[in-house]
Amino acid sequence: MHAVVEILKTAVAVARGCCALVMRVVQKCFGFLRSVIASLCSRTVMKVPRDVWVIAGLGVVLLLCSGTRDSRVAEEFSFPNEDRKLFPAALALDASDNVYVSDVRNNSIHVFDDRGRELFVIGSRDHDNGLLRNPSAVALDREGNAYVADTHNHRIQVYDAAGVFQRTFGAHGRAEGQFSTPEALALDADGNIIVADRNNHRIQVFDNAGEFLFAFGRRGRQEGQFSAPCGIAVSADGDILVADTSNDRLQVFDRQGVFRFVVGGRGDGDGQLRGPRGVAVDSEGRIVVADTDNSRVQVFDADGAFVLRFGRRARRAAIQSAIRCRRRC
């Protein structure tokens, strides 16, 4: 763990101190993040553990997009030699380390290999089946099928490993199985689909065919209640971790939706959160949280105890300098 921490600290320090490297990472859209971290470890190419790569990717998204609140930084996510811009909201990795990126403004999912080369694109803006409006999240099953939170169409859409539309479920509303801006989703070990139904302030669980199983939570600040949940993950034990965004905390439930414990609370101290929007669990059970409004990533152990944090808010002058540097280089 110490080596991972040192890699991440070094990566963040280099990203903040070298604008050319920052913009290179952004422009290549995570494809070169593997080689950047590897170069910090040695002068030879090495296999970077998936946990390190995913956590570092989460950090880059947080530091360069959500935390800055500056649309100009988002506009610097580009495709090589093209005018298209990428507006990433979330990412997922398949078994081959291909990266699926939710492009929220371009209403699509972009798929890249581990060197940043675009493989194919899923969707475009519309209401028809297979098309998307502001997709906020994507998750993959063991067969490589992609499950997309089609946020402003208020539904979940499913595509095969080649990006071909398979099915959809959900509609706008408050009834069981309906959504109001589904913001995040995750799959458990049984293939059930767990959805953060943001504006209905609840979590809904479906089987692999999209049939409603159960829901838990309602609007409020008590244990087991939510205010605009925007992130979700499932641990190896089946626990459901929810980024309870507007309540500035993370809540943990068992696989039946029974409340277990809470992590965080509003503040900027170690272990405190402000507007957390993303959560992941690594292979050792550590909980990684995108502490968005504090512009940092925090790591907790499996019981919710604080372990470490990294990152901080970028100054506007530094952001502008990075953008100017990239345009000159």
Side-chain angles (χ1 to χ4, degrees):
M1 181 63 185
H2 179 73
V4 173
V5 173
E6 292 304 313
I7 291 170
L8 293 173
K9 285 183 177 179
T10 306
V12 172
V14 171
R16 292 189 176 282
C18 180
C19 63
L21 181 57
V22 170
M23 299 321 300
R24 181 187 176 200
V25 172
V26 176
Q27 185 178 27
K28 297 301 182 182
C29 187
F30 303 105
F32 287 108
L33 189 56
R34 181 188 302 276
S35 60
V36 170
I37 297 174
S39 69
L40 295 172
C41 301
S42 69
R43 293 297 180 181
T44 61
V45 177
M46 59 178 286
K47 179 72 172 178
V48 180
R50 285 171 60 90
D51 287 346
V52 176
W53 196 75
V54 172
I55 292 171
L58 179 62
V60 171
V61 170
L62 175 73
L63 295 172
L64 297 181
C65 294
S66 301
T68 64
R69 299 295 186 188
D70 193 327
S71 62
R72 288 170 297 183
V73 175
E75 289 169 1
E76 291 300 318
F77 282 78
S78 304
F79 297 84
N81 304 317
E82 296 187 27
D83 293 330
R84 292 184 296 163
K85 308 295 181 182
L86 189 68
F87 295 85
L91 61 85
L93 272 68
D94 68 13
S96 301
D97 284 348
N98 295 321
V99 186
Y100 287 64
V101 181
S102 295
D103 187 358
V104 66
R105 288 200 193 175
N106 290 317
N107 307 289
S108 54
I109 306 296
H110 294 267
V111 183
F112 301 87
D113 67 16
D114 63 357
R115 296 186 179 276
R117 295 173 295 199
E118 187 178 46
L119 301 177
F120 58 89
V121 179
I122 298 172
S124 60
R125 182 181 175 88
D126 211 334
H127 305 277
D128 296 336
N129 287 343
L131 302 181
L132 302 166
R133 289 184 63 221
N134 309 114
S136 295
V138 57
L140 305 172
D141 67 15
R142 294 172 182 172
E143 288 72 42
N145 298 309
Y147 298 76
V148 178
D150 188 8
T151 304
H152 287 154
N153 279 329
H154 310 286
R155 63 188 178 186
I156 305 301
Q157 300 212 64
V158 185
Y159 305 82
D160 67 16
V164 178
F165 172 78
Q166 298 297 301
R167 61 186 181 276
T168 184
F169 60 92
H172 194 196
R174 298 181 180 180
E176 292 179 348
Q178 296 181 330
F179 302 109
S180 181
T181 58
E183 188 79 12
L185 77 168
L187 276 65
D188 67 14
D190 297 323
N192 295 322
I193 306 155
I194 306 168
V195 182
D197 188 7
R198 186 184 72 191
N199 287 349
N200 282 328
H201 311 284
R202 65 185 178 186
I203 305 301
Q204 297 200 70
V205 182
F206 303 82
D207 67 17
N208 189 255
E211 294 296 323
F212 175 82
L213 297 178
F214 64 92
F216 59 93
R218 59 186 177 88
R219 186 167 192 170
R221 299 189 62 85
Q222 301 301 314
E223 292 179 351
Q225 298 177 341
F226 303 109
S227 181
C230 289
I232 199 160
V234 180
S235 73
D237 295 330
D239 285 344
I240 301 170
L241 297 86
V242 181
D244 187 9
T245 304
S246 294
N247 280 332
D248 304 299
R249 64 188 180 185
L250 179 81
Q251 295 198 72
V252 181
F253 302 82
D254 68 16
R255 66 182 66 225
Q256 284 80 39
V258 177
F259 174 81
R260 291 195 58 217
F261 60 89
V262 66
V263 177
R266 185 171 181 83
D268 57 9
D270 289 349
Q272 295 180 319
L273 303 168
R274 291 179 63 238
R277 296 184 65 87
V279 58
V281 182
D282 73 10
S283 59
E284 297 184 15
R286 292 179 294 251
I287 303 167
V288 185
V289 182
D291 187 9
T292 307
D293 290 347
N294 281 327
S295 303
R296 63 187 181 183
V297 173
Q298 296 204 66
V299 181
F300 302 84
D301 68 18
D303 296 319
F306 173 79
V307 176
L308 64 96
R309 59 178 170 83
F310 60 93
R312 60 181 178 177
R313 183 177 296 276
R315 294 183 179 180
R316 182 176 296 272
I319 296 168
Q320 293 172 338
S321 176
I323 294 172
R324 286 195 298 270
C325 177
R326 189 249 178 175
R327 288 171 178 168
R328 290 196 301 268
C329 298

